[in-house]
Each structure stands twice: as structure tokens, then as C-alpha cells.
Amino acid sequence: MQMLNEHAEALSRREITERAVTDNWTELFAAFLGAHTDARADIEELATAAPSRTTIGSQNNYSSGVFIGNNHYGEINISTRNDR
């Protein structure tokens, strides 16, 4: 679970590519299947149940407002990556 969380965080910060994560997990599952051939049906089920695209994002609050249930109460300043 730790590696999954690390990859999710790295993707959200754009420190790793989706391709690199896919390649890494493909290698891990292949190695697992080499040692546990009886798990093939479970791995194949994971592959078919996986969404075709997952969006991972992050949200930071640097204002005096408070976020409650994804709603913001207070002041907020929004900038895009192009504003840097």
C-alpha cells in the first residue's frame, strides 16, 4: 500500500509519469504471477476492472478560509501554472 500511495503522490506532483508507474506495476504483477501462478484469475480481474483513466489531484488552502466537505468558506486566490 505504501508504494501505491507514493506513486499517487508523485503523480499528483508530476514527479513521475503515468508510463513509469504502469511499467513498474506491470513488472511487480508479472513477478508476483511468476511466484503465484494460481493468482492469474485475480490479476486478470483487476486488469479488466481497472478504470481506463484515473485523475489524481491535490488541493491546498493558503488563505484565511476553511474547507469543509470540499466547500470553501472565506477568501481564496486561484492561480494557474501559467501564472508562475
Side-chain angles (χ1 to χ4, degrees), residues 12-43:
S12 71
R13 291 188 306 262
R14 296 178 180 8
E15 296 172 350
I16 194 171
T17 65
E18 290 179 20
R19 183 79 233 165
V21 172
T22 300
D23 290 347
N24 185 265
W25 282 94
T26 299
E27 290 176 21
L28 288 172
F29 281 123
F32 182 82
L33 281 174
H36 306 281
T37 56
D38 58 322
R40 178 167 298 281
D42 293 330
I43 300 296

Side-chain angles (χ1 to χ4, degrees), residues 59-74:
Q59 182 176 9
N60 297 299
N61 181 15
Y62 296 105
S63 70
S64 59
V66 177
F67 281 91
I68 301 172
N70 295 325
N71 294 319
H72 179 265
Y73 300 91

